[in-house]
Amino acid sequence: MPDAEPRYNVREHTGNPEHASVDDVVDLVVERAQNPRTEHDDAHFDTAVAAIVDRYGTESVRTVIHRILVDDEPFRTATSGLAMRNVDGVRIGTAASWFLEELNTQDAD
């Protein structure tokens, strides 16, 4: 059976230097957690990741983002072995996929 196309256009999957890397996504997640936007349509993502980074730390969040964007693990199971609630994996995965799309859109402009 041939390999499936990656779900996320992240550089680690595509090899395309114009696509954001996992590190770019993590950096943006941490930046938004430290400096949430208040008057933005997606401010709820910033608020959610701020609480999650505060609760679990940057390295655990980085691990979940890598598992989701590169290893194609489902949001809920990407938290396995991290003493993290599955629902927080869903929150991290949702925010990370939006931030990845935002980064890739910025780079395309």
Side-chain angles (χ1 to χ4, degrees):
M1 178 196 255
D3 290 334
E5 288 294 316
R7 284 188 262 180
Y8 303 102
N9 286 330
V10 64
R11 187 177 308 149
E12 288 80 355
H13 262 306
T14 66
N16 184 340
E18 293 183 14
H19 289 158
S21 70
V22 170
D23 288 338
D24 295 335
V25 176
V26 171
D27 290 347
L28 184 56
V29 166
V30 171
E31 166 66 26
R32 296 274 170 81
Q34 293 172 346
N35 303 296
R37 300 165 292 178
T38 55
E39 301 297 323
H40 193 274
D41 289 342
D42 295 332
H44 57 285
F45 289 127
D46 301 359
T47 304
V49 296
I52 290 167
V53 169
D54 186 51
R55 173 181 261 174
Y56 301 111
T58 303
E59 284 310 307
S60 291
V61 172
R62 174 183 302 279
T63 298
V64 171
I65 291 170
H66 189 277
R67 288 176 179 177
I68 290 168
L69 296 181
V70 177
D71 299 337
D72 289 327
E73 290 188 26
F75 292 1
R76 290 181 185 273
T77 59
T79 61
S80 178
L82 295 175
M84 185 182 288
R85 298 179 324 166
N86 291 350
V87 69
D88 289 329
V90 173
R91 291 180 178 123
I92 293 167
T94 302
S97 60
W98 274 91
F99 292 164
L100 172 63
E101 184 176 323
E102 177 184 332
L103 287 166
N104 284 341
T105 300
Q106 288 173 358
D107 289 344
D109 293 341

